[in-house]
Amino acid sequence: MQPKQILREHVAKIATLTDEEFDNFFSRFELQSFKKGQTIIAAGDSVRREYFVLSGCLKSFYINDDLKMFILQFAMPTWWTSDFNALYSGEKATISVDCITDAEVLSLTNESREALCREIHQAEHFFRWRTNKGYVASQKRLLSMMNNDVKHRYEELMAQYPELYQIVPKQLIAAYLGVSRETLSRLHH
Amino acid sequence: MQPKQILREHVAKIATLTDEEFDNFFSRFELQSFKKGQTIIAAGDSVRREYFVLSGCLKSFYINDDLKMFILQFAMPTWWTSDFNALYSGEKATISVDCITDAEVLSLTNESREALCREIHQAEHFFRWRTNKGYVASQKRLLSMMNNDVKHRYEELMAQYPELYQIVPKQLIAAYLGVSRETLSRLHH
DNA sequence: ATGAAAATGTGATCTACATCACAATGCGCT
DNA sequence: AGCGCATTGTGATGTAGATCACATTTTCAT
């Protein structure tokens, strides 16, 4: 399927845009391809863009002072990712984004998003709902983090995204669950 | 200050509404008063409203199967709270909300919010930004949860909201930090 | 003011998970 | 095909924080 069509169907789930409106909407995006391992946002960068994944798998992550990595999100097709804090506030990135597999994305600058939201009421509606879903998901994950042990969180993740098991090295799954790779490896006993 | 004025100034930080638009906006809210200890949303309820705090302090929380409580948010004046997942999806509440102190709120139904967002583009803009801030804050807290130990998280919280120390029993602070009250109590050694 | 209930402090013990060390296995690259 | 590096498994040991038990202090309603 064409990038334009993928985005169109994704947006149509939430917002109603006329063909002309969607042409305008889509025209602000830039198609980009990345190779496995390539960095899209590095900590310290200025962040100008957010990314809509067409194919492949990205990760957004934080690295602490001890060089330990924590994964915020595995971004699969039709997911959005960026360092949203940096993107909206203008601060430098503290979250990095890179490619777990080869990937194709549609990228949108902060200015373009805000212009679209101004020009097209339904675009603002779309982005409100998108963020809403992210917010609710983030709160659920926070609760799961506080409430459940590693085994439970692992099974939850695998039930929700079984495809991750194939694509993503286990140490990255550990970094998502907030656990050491050794402990994750011992879970099967 | 009047409720209307408090909300007006809060909204003005993000969105530009004409006086007539704001009159319409404000007219959808209902002023409600609650006593300390009173429940606003109980787990299992249908959730029809979200709440803008004028005075006092609410908490939103989850209680697990072992009856252990986890606090998602202390809602202070000008904060918004509800079980947003239930509110948007129509599912029953899994998050409860009650009053840590006597409180005054402005409440808004889901239908009224959506109507306002349809009628007033800038209202949709406002709610997009509000949710956005919540999303970014939630991600930061998730990272802090994974990255930092209890002592660090406690100091972070006290630095950001020193007033909580006076208002909120320590066991509730423990429930926010995701730690037992005993461990929190031992932090001062 | 006073008694009951709630909140807090503190010791002893237990446990999930981290960390370190190293072996085994898998996998991309020329 | 085979070298080299990244990934995974697994044992031994360490530790932050949980849990249980009970004493002490604070708060609140009458």
Side-chain angles (χ1 to χ4, degrees):
Chain A
M1 201 168 28
Q2 297 302 309
K4 190 168 180 177
Q5 189 56 19
I6 295 172
L7 185 60
R8 169 108 236 198
E9 289 184 13
H10 174 70
V11 170
K13 285 177 191 163
I14 290 168
T16 315
L17 274 74
T18 64
D19 286 348
E20 306 89 80
E21 280 173 339
F22 186 75
D23 284 345
N24 177 16
F25 189 85
F26 182 73
S27 73
R28 308 292 189 127
F29 285 82
E30 185 178 318
L31 181 65
Q32 292 182 280
S33 293
F34 296 100
K35 289 284 169 197
K36 178 174 176 174
Q38 217 177 329
T39 297
I40 298 180
I41 298 171
D45 287 358
S46 295
V47 181
R48 296 189 53 244
R49 293 173 173 277
E50 58 190 277
Y51 302 89
F52 174 76
V53 180
L54 295 166
S55 68
C57 182
L58 315 182
K59 67 176 192 280
S60 65
F61 59 99
Y62 172 75
I63 299 203
N64 76 3
D65 301 339
D66 304 332
L67 303 182
K68 212 161 128 175
M69 176 192 298
F70 300 93
I71 294 181
L72 273 172
Q73 190 196 12
F74 295 114
M76 311 282 282
T78 78
W79 285 65
W80 296 78
T81 196
S82 187
D83 178 342
F84 287 107
N85 182 45
L87 185 65
Y88 288 107
S89 71
E91 291 163 29
K92 299 293 181 185
T94 55
I95 304 299
S96 307
V97 176
D98 69 16
C99 302
I100 294 177
T101 66
D102 291 356
E104 276 197 318
V105 306
L106 289 171
S107 81
L108 179 67
T109 65
N110 201 51
E111 297 73 43
S112 291
R113 176 182 14 78
E114 292 305 314
L116 284 173
C117 285
R118 256 180 274 116
E119 292 164 16
I120 307 173
H121 189 149
Q122 280 289 302
E124 186 118 48
H125 184 73
F126 169 76
F127 283 110
R128 175 165 71 90
W129 276 88
R130 183 202 62 173
T131 304
N132 226 148
K133 287 191 176 192
Y135 179 52
V136 166
S138 175
Q139 294 222 141
K140 273 194 182 161
R141 186 164 163 213
L142 183 66
L143 272 184
S144 180
M145 203 74 197
M146 296 205 276
N147 192 14
N148 303 129
D149 67 10
V150 179
K151 188 164 192 188
H152 193 113
R153 267 143 53 208
Y154 176 70
E155 283 161 2
E156 215 168 56
L157 181 66
M158 287 302 114
Q160 214 180 348
Y161 307 107
E163 65 273 33
L164 285 180
Y165 193 88
Q166 323 296 333
I167 301 173
V168 176
K170 304 228 165 144
Q171 32 178 345
L172 296 187
I173 292 184
Y176 179 92
L177 296 174
V179 79
S180 71
R181 56 166 204 81
E182 292 95 329
T183 297
L184 182 65
S185 159
R186 274 186 264 259
L187 238 53
H188 304 293
H189 301 316
Chain B
M1 202 169 25
Q2 295 304 307
K4 189 168 180 175
Q5 189 57 20
I6 295 173
L7 185 60
R8 169 109 236 197
E9 289 184 12
H10 174 69
V11 170
K13 286 178 189 160
I14 290 168
T16 314
L17 274 75
T18 64
D19 286 347
E20 306 90 79
E21 280 172 338
F22 185 74
D23 284 346
N24 177 15
F25 189 85
F26 181 73
S27 73
R28 308 291 189 130
F29 286 81
E30 185 178 317
L31 181 64
Q32 294 182 278
S33 293
F34 296 101
K35 289 285 168 198
K36 177 173 176 176
Q38 216 178 331
T39 298
I40 298 179
I41 298 171
D45 286 358
S46 295
V47 181
R48 296 189 53 244
R49 295 174 173 275
E50 57 190 275
Y51 302 89
F52 173 75
V53 179
L54 295 166
S55 67
C57 181
L58 315 182
K59 67 177 192 282
S60 65
F61 60 99
Y62 171 74
I63 299 203
N64 75 3
D65 300 340
D66 305 332
L67 302 183
K68 213 162 129 174
M69 176 192 296
F70 300 93
I71 293 181
L72 272 172
Q73 190 197 11
F74 294 114
M76 311 281 282
T78 78
W79 285 66
W80 296 77
T81 196
S82 188
D83 177 343
F84 288 107
N85 182 45
L87 185 65
Y88 287 107
S89 71
E91 292 164 28
K92 298 293 180 185
T94 56
I95 305 298
S96 307
V97 176
D98 69 16
C99 301
I100 294 177
T101 66
D102 291 357
E104 276 197 318
V105 306
L106 290 170
S107 81
L108 179 68
T109 65
N110 201 51
E111 297 73 43
S112 291
R113 176 182 14 77
E114 292 305 314
L116 284 172
C117 284
R118 257 180 274 116
E119 292 164 15
I120 308 172
H121 189 150
Q122 280 289 304
E124 185 118 46
H125 184 72
F126 168 76
F127 283 110
R128 175 165 71 91
W129 277 87
R130 182 201 63 172
T131 303
N132 222 77
K133 288 192 176 189
Y135 179 52
V136 166
S138 174
Q139 293 222 142
K140 274 194 181 159
R141 186 162 163 215
L142 183 65
L143 272 183
S144 179
M145 203 74 198
M146 296 204 278
N147 193 14
N148 303 130
D149 66 10
V150 180
K151 187 165 192 186
H152 193 111
R153 267 143 52 209
Y154 175 70
E155 283 160 3
E156 216 168 54
L157 180 67
M158 287 302 113
Q160 214 179 349
Y161 307 107
E163 65 273 34
L164 285 180
Y165 193 87
Q166 322 297 334
I167 299 173
V168 176
K170 304 228 164 138
Q171 33 179 342
L172 296 187
I173 292 183
Y176 179 93
L177 297 174
V179 78
S180 72
R181 56 167 203 82
E182 291 96 330
T183 297
L184 181 66
S185 159
R186 275 185 263 260
L187 238 53
H188 304 291
H189 301 315

